[in-house]
């Protein structure tokens, strides 16, 4: 990922700082991890050296470690500013379990309880204190803050300070002033998963970061399997229900666009015997808390939610995230989908979409409620930028490119995904060369994919394939639609570039609709020219022509189809145009197979789950015995979680239990060698887990 030229770049290597060894010791001691992940070490060392930092890392990459490790090593208190008070208890529980003294102050506490926490923090008995940004405005907190030694202030979900993002919170705007009001300015560390440059600039400016070291890590999440499926709306719930039923021992999140949809789908899942909770902003705080807790503690396997759910959710064993509709941007999608597989094990991210999602999204965008902090001009600029975000996710739904690669390209340079830019590059488009004919393919339900130019080819002429997304596992049947495209172009001309897609399709199909006859549209030359071509095919061609720059579909509530920059090409005698129809492989048994959380391919949309972090396992083959042991560990984890009233993942993650099943520890030293076991957890839970191994 490119650094922003305007920001100072962290050039200090870990060797310069001298903290490396100590930080690694703390990482192992408290968290049981042997090494830092990408970006973590630089950030930890910069914080320890007293530099402000901004860490931009995708969800699940491990941002928390970046400030939790320094917090254990710095002399004073670390204050963590986090937007969601409902999560603080879990975060603090997890830290205490790891042996780090942590506490929170929030509105769920009585005044007495708060006084106790303040007193403990004053005595140095609290190393990390979690608060919501609103807390900083209270006099009581300000008094407290002026009396204790604060070494570090961490701002989690720092993008909430920016109005350009979708999670803007005005209370974040007070953080900079709070920091400046402290008698001694502590180091300030901000973290976000939102990578856009504008938001980053806002974070630096509005939080008043001082010459921050900025670390932007690679955004890829190789353990996530991405899939996009074009599907009629009425089939979506059935598909999701079948999927959840097949994966009944896994946790999953389904994101819907509306509150109504979340409730309807949760009901449907429950009727089919699949435990599901709805979650949306219209529910009472109590009902939302219950839904969240039931999900986090594995009482219900599925939560069906609007985008109100999830920011900061640290449930590490979410195995799948399904989007019932197309989200508003790649950022939103990646953040939501990224909640799968935080433990590094396989996670599956499926986006279900169809054309009507695009219409709905466009409509929502135009109805965007006014933000009275902004002038009408600024509001329009924001709307424009939201349109651009939307276009990029539409491109994602239609691309035939590797899906990991599409997302990475987007984060590297969002503007490269603009339709016009694509259209301009398109002349250098190479024909798809590696459409391998695979006898083991099955055409799916008619999904078609548009093509973005030049995207698959690498410098060496080979096509990039990650092997862990549906596009890389699919083959694409190429269909010649030159005649359809020519007819569309003619029709747009006949209709004077003044109608939307629906009318164009009706005219080309020779519809007898009264409305059409009244407007004399049955008299234009292209009327009925495609009477034998299905509606859906014509729509696919129009959409792809818009993506490729032959057409231009205006924004707004009633999008009109105009000619695009390349429209002239369609009348040339050698004009040739193709669309690709996705063919998917039949189910492929995942290499990780039953051994890895029963991750198996869906019947109609196969996929192999790669095993991430494989170095942790080497070439280790999971045996049946290990699987049995893993299940026993899970049971014990559930029992312990119930006893201590905490979510199971706080005891140990799935990944840790897998490693434990491999190592089969019976001594303390062996138990400590398990990935994710620190000293405190050895002490708390080691004997009981080792008893399970001995009883085998
Ligand atoms: P983020 O806040 O970036 O979404 P988290 O901080 O919640 O991600 O971390 C995601 C998961 O990765 C957690 O389960 C965490 O314990 C684990 N993790 C973080 N750093 C490491 C590491 N260095 N080695 C192994 N696991 C790690």
């Amino acid at each position: 990922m490119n650094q922003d030229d305007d920001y100072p770049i962290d050039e200090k290597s870990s060797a310069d700082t001298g903290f490396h060894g100590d930080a690694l010791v703390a990482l192992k001691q408290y968290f049981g991890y042997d090494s830092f992940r990408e970006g973590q070490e630089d950030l930890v060392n910069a914080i320890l050296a007293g530099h402000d930092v901004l860490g931009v890392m995708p969800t699940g990459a491990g941002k928390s470690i970046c400030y939790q490790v320094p917090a254990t090593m710095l002399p004073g208190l670390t204050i963590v500013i986090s937007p969601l008070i409902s999560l603080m208890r879990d975060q603090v529980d997890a830290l205490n379990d790891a042996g780090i003294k942590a506490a929170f102050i929030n509105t769920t506490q009585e005044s007495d309880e708060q006084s106790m926490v303040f007193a403990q923090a004053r005595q140095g008995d609290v190393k990390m204190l979690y608060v919501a940004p609103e807390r900083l405005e209270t006099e009581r907190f300000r008094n407290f803050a002026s009396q204790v030694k604060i070494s570090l202030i961490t701002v989690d979900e720092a993008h909430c300070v920016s109005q350009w993002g979708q999670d803007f919170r005005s209370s974040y705007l007070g953080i900079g002033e709070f920091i400046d009001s402290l008698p001694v300015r502590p180091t300030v560390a901000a973290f976000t998963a939102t990578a856009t440059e504008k938001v980053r600039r806002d974070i630096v400016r509005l939080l008043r970061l001082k010459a921050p070291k900025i670390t932007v890590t690679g955004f890829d999440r190789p353990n996530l399997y991405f899939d996009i499926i074009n599907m009629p709306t009425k089939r979506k719930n059935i598909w999701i229900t079948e999927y959840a039923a097949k994966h009944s021992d896994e946790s999953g999140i389904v994101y819907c666009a509306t509150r109504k949809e979340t409730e309807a789908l949760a009901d449907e899942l429950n009727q089919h015997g699949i435990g599901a909770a709805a979650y949306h902003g219209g529910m009472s705080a109590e009902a939302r808390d219950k839904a969240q807790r039931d999900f986090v503690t594995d009482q219900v396997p599925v939560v069906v939610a609007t985008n109100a759910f999830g920011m900061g959710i640290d449930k590490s064993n979410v195995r799948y995230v399904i989007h019932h509709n197309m989200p508003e941007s790649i950022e939103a999608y990646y953040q939501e989908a990224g909640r799968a597989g935080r433990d590094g094990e396989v996670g599956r991210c499926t986006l279900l979409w169809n054309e009507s999602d695009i219409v709905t999204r466009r409509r929502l965008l135009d109805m965007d409620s006014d933000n009275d902090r902004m002038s009408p001009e600024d509001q329009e600029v924001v709307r424009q930028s939201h349109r651009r975000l939307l276009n990029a996710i539409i491109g994602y739904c239609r691309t035939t490119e590797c899906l990991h690669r599409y997302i990475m390209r987007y984060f590297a340079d969002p503007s490269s995904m603009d339709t016009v830019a694509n259209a301009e590059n398109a002349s250098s488009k190479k024909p798809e060369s590696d459409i391998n004919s695979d006898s083991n393919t099955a055409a799916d339900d008619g999904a078609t994919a548009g093509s973005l130019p030049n995207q698959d080819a690498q410098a060496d002429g080979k096509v990039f394939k990650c092997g862990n997304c549906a596009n890389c596992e699919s083959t694409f049947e190429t269909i010649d639609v030159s005649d359809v495209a020519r007819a569309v172009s003619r029709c747009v001309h006949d209709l004077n570039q003044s109608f939307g897609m629906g009318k164009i399709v009706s005219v080309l199909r020779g519809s007898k609709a009264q409305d059409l006859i009244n407007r004399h549209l049955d008299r234009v030359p292209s009327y009925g020219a495609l009477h034998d071509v299905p509606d859906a095919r014509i729509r696919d061609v129009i959409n792809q022509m818009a993506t490729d720059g032959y057409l231009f579909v205006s924004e707004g509530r009633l999008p009109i189809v105009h000619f695009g920059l390349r429209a002239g090409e369609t009348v040339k005698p050698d004009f040739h145009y193709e669309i690709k129809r996705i063919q998917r492989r039949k189910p492929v048994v995942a290499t990780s197979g039953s051994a890895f959380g029963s991750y198996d391919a869906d019947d109609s949309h196969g996929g192999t789950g790669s095993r991430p972090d494989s170095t942790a396992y080497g070439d280790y083959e999971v045996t049946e015995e290990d699987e049995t042991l893993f299940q026993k560990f899970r049971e014990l984890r559930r029992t312990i979680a119930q006893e201590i009233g905490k979510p199971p993942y706080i005891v140990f993650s799935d990944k840790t239990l897998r490693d434990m099943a491999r190592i089969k520890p019976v001594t303390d030293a062996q138990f400590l060698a398990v990935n994710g076991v620190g000293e405190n957890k050895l002490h708390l839970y080691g004997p009981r887990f080792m008893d399970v191994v001995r009883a085998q």
Side-chain angles (χ1 to χ4, degrees):
M1 161 95 12
N2 294 334
Q3 293 273 358
D4 186 326
D5 288 345
D6 289 352
Y7 293 127
I9 294 174
D10 187 2
E11 287 167 341
K12 193 183 286 255
S13 78
S14 54
D16 297 335
T17 64
F19 295 119
H20 176 91
D22 295 346
L24 261 185
V25 171
L27 180 72
K28 181 69 186 162
Q29 179 187 341
Y30 293 108
F31 301 98
Y33 300 136
D34 293 322
S35 56
F36 283 110
R37 287 185 182 161
E38 186 196 348
Q40 287 180 331
E41 195 169 14
D42 283 349
L43 287 160
V44 166
N45 286 328
I47 292 172
L48 289 173
H51 295 296
D52 283 3
V53 302
L54 169 57
V56 185
M57 298 160 96
T59 308
K63 289 185 279 296
S64 321
I65 292 284
C66 301
Y67 56 87
Q68 288 167 346
V69 165
T72 65
M73 300 169 67
L74 291 166
L77 177 70
T78 290
I79 291 179
V80 183
I81 301 166
S82 165
L84 291 179
I85 58 174
S86 57
L87 298 174
M88 287 179 188
R89 192 173 294 277
D90 287 349
Q91 287 166 326
V92 163
D93 278 350
L95 286 166
N96 285 326
D97 239 31
I100 300 167
K101 290 175 185 162
F104 59 82
I105 294 276
N106 68 32
T107 45
T108 65
Q109 294 160 315
E110 300 289 330
S111 176
D112 289 1
E113 202 181 333
Q114 292 185 357
S115 303
M116 205 174 73
V117 174
F118 281 135
Q120 287 170 336
R122 274 197 200 93
Q123 287 162 15
D125 282 342
V126 173
K127 279 309 278 180
M128 298 188 71
L129 183 63
Y130 282 71
V131 296
E134 292 78 11
R135 176 74 30 192
L136 311 178
E137 284 156 25
T138 65
E139 206 181 319
R140 194 170 181 208
F141 192 82
R142 289 203 172 216
N143 277 339
F144 160 79
S146 64
Q147 292 161 7
V148 286
K149 179 174 172 51
I150 302 171
S151 293
L152 174 65
I153 290 192
T154 290
V155 185
D156 208 4
E157 313 285 358
H159 60 279
C160 291
V161 78
S162 170
Q163 304 205 7
W164 298 108
Q166 42 230 347
D167 299 316
F168 172 65
R169 281 167 195 239
S170 54
S171 54
Y172 265 65
L173 292 174
I175 296 175
E177 189 272 321
F178 167 77
I179 293 168
D180 283 352
S181 77
L182 293 171
V184 180
R185 187 180 185 281
T187 304
V188 183
F191 292 89
T192 181
T194 306
T196 63
E197 189 187 310
K198 255 190 195 147
V199 174
R200 260 188 269 159
R201 280 180 201 283
D202 269 4
I203 293 173
V204 172
R205 184 171 59 87
L206 296 166
L207 294 180
R208 306 183 193 176
L209 300 184
K210 296 234 162 81
K213 307 283 182 197
I214 297 182
T215 296
V216 184
T217 66
F219 262 62
D220 199 13
R221 298 274 311 278
N223 61 319
L224 298 185
Y225 180 94
F226 287 102
D227 194 2
I228 35 177
I229 308 176
N230 184 319
M231 183 182 286
T233 305
K234 60 178 186 298
R235 278 199 51 199
K236 288 180 175 177
N237 283 8
I238 302 168
W239 189 92
I240 293 169
T241 307
E242 280 174 7
Y243 186 91
K246 270 189 203 141
H247 298 257
S248 56
D249 63 342
E250 297 179 359
S251 280
I253 305 175
V254 183
Y255 280 104
C256 296
T258 67
R259 294 171 178 181
K260 224 164 87 185
E261 278 169 353
T262 63
E263 290 182 358
L265 180 54
D267 280 352
E268 196 163 331
L269 288 168
N270 282 314
Q271 278 162 24
H272 284 84
I274 302 154
Y279 184 106
H280 59 72
M283 288 160 50
S284 69
E286 237 169 62
R288 265 182 293 152
D289 276 356
K290 180 171 169 11
Q292 182 175 314
R293 190 134 290 273
D294 284 352
F295 179 64
V296 164
T297 54
D298 289 345
Q299 305 292 312
V300 296
V302 184
V303 68
V304 188
T306 59
N307 62 2
F309 180 78
M311 186 159 61
I313 286 280
D314 187 21
K315 182 171 165 61
S316 65
N317 65 339
V318 175
R319 298 269 70 89
Y320 62 89
V321 173
I322 299 172
H323 278 75
H324 185 268
N325 314 73
M326 193 179 70
E328 69 215 75
S329 64
I330 299 267
E331 274 93 345
Y333 181 62
Y334 206 52
Q335 194 153 33
E336 288 160 9
R339 291 182 183 127
R342 288 170 88 111
D343 53 8
E345 291 278 295
V346 172
R348 191 180 178 103
C349 311
T350 309
L351 198 169
L352 309 180
W353 75 288
N354 60 45
E355 294 302 328
S356 66
D357 293 352
I358 299 178
V359 176
T360 312
R361 281 286 164 210
R362 290 212 164 107
R363 194 172 303 138
L364 287 174
L365 211 150
D366 285 325
M367 289 181 340
D368 236 4
S369 60
D370 293 353
N371 180 339
D372 53 14
R373 286 170 190 268
M374 285 188 176
S375 68
E377 294 76 32
D378 278 352
Q379 284 180 27
E380 187 46 35
V381 173
V382 168
R383 218 170 276 144
Q384 284 290 354
S385 97
H386 285 175
R387 278 188 193 123
R388 224 164 282 133
L389 297 178
L390 182 59
N391 286 340
I393 186 83
I394 295 172
Y396 177 78
C397 291
R398 293 199 177 128
T399 187
T400 56
E401 181 182 10
C402 162
L403 296 173
H404 278 271
R405 191 171 161 90
Y406 184 98
I407 294 170
M408 292 317 105
R409 282 200 311 128
Y410 175 77
F411 284 123
D413 181 10
S415 63
S416 74
M417 320 301 270
D418 280 1
T419 305
V420 174
N422 283 324
E424 282 163 0
N425 288 335
S427 47
S428 55
K429 181 177 181 176
K430 282 195 183 156
E432 178 85 26
S433 58
D434 90 326
I435 301 167
N436 26 14
S437 59
D438 188 333
S439 55
N440 198 20
T441 57
D444 78 346
D445 45 304
T448 54
S451 60
L452 288 172
N454 245 358
Q455 56 208 8
D456 295 340
Q458 297 185 127
D460 58 6
K462 288 199 182 123
V463 170
F464 179 87
K465 285 199 181 296
C466 73
N468 202 28
C469 75
N471 280 4
C472 285
E473 291 197 331
S474 301
T475 52
F476 297 93
E477 175 196 8
T478 305
I479 301 167
D480 184 343
V481 288
S482 310
D483 289 343
V484 179
R486 256 187 233 112
V488 165
S489 220
R490 219 177 307 129
C491 187
V492 171
H493 172 263
D494 291 347
L495 301 186
N496 228 354
Q497 304 185 62
S498 337
F499 288 91
M501 189 182 324
K503 277 281 176 311
I504 294 171
V505 174
S506 301
V507 168
L508 286 167
R509 295 267 293 134
S511 159
K512 302 257 182 290
Q514 200 54 46
D515 166 50
L516 218 101
I517 313 283
N518 292 346
R519 292 169 184 244
H520 306 303
L521 297 182
D522 54 339
R523 298 183 194 169
V524 301
S526 53
Y527 179 78
L530 299 179
H531 63 92
D532 54 352
V533 179
D535 273 28
R537 172 62 49 81
I538 303 174
R539 283 178 185 274
D540 283 337
V541 173
I542 295 177
N543 282 323
Q544 186 176 310
M545 288 175 79
T547 307
D548 290 348
Y550 295 101
L551 298 176
F552 168 76
V553 183
S554 65
E555 310 288 354
R557 216 159 293 172
L558 297 170
I560 303 295
V561 180
H562 304 266
F563 284 129
L565 294 175
R566 302 176 67 195
E569 293 175 35
T570 61
V571 294
K572 291 190 180 154
D574 61 346
F575 174 70
H576 181 77
Y577 202 55
E578 293 173 347
I579 58 170
K580 288 173 188 154
R581 189 183 167 90
I582 295 174
Q583 296 184 313
R584 289 166 189 271
R585 285 176 199 274
K586 283 228 170 85
V588 183
V589 177
T591 45
S592 45
S594 61
F596 277 77
S598 67
Y599 180 82
D600 53 5
D602 175 82
D603 277 352
S604 55
H605 308 97
T608 53
S610 74
R611 197 167 68 199
D613 285 5
S614 54
T615 48
Y617 299 92
D619 288 331
Y620 162 65
E621 280 294 320
V622 181
T623 63
E624 226 169 82
E625 184 196 349
D626 297 353
E627 184 59 23
T628 313
L629 195 53
F630 172 71
Q631 294 303 341
K632 287 188 178 156
F633 287 154
R634 279 183 75 178
E635 269 166 44
L636 174 58
R637 178 178 66 178
R638 200 174 305 135
T639 310
I640 294 176
Q642 270 161 11
E643 285 168 13
I644 61 179
K646 293 176 188 171
Y649 73 81
I650 284 186
V651 178
F652 285 126
S653 71
D654 281 5
K655 192 183 177 86
T656 297
L657 296 190
R658 290 256 173 238
D659 205 37
M660 207 180 283
R662 175 181 72 90
I663 292 179
K664 304 181 187 58
V666 287
T667 65
D668 286 4
Q670 288 168 348
F671 202 77
L672 273 176
V674 174
N675 188 283
V677 175
E679 278 168 20
N680 210 48
K681 291 202 177 176
L682 161 70
H683 169 70
L684 288 175
Y685 312 123
R688 290 176 76 177
F689 280 89
M690 286 191 274
D691 280 350
V692 172
V693 179
R694 290 192 195 100
Q696 271 279 91

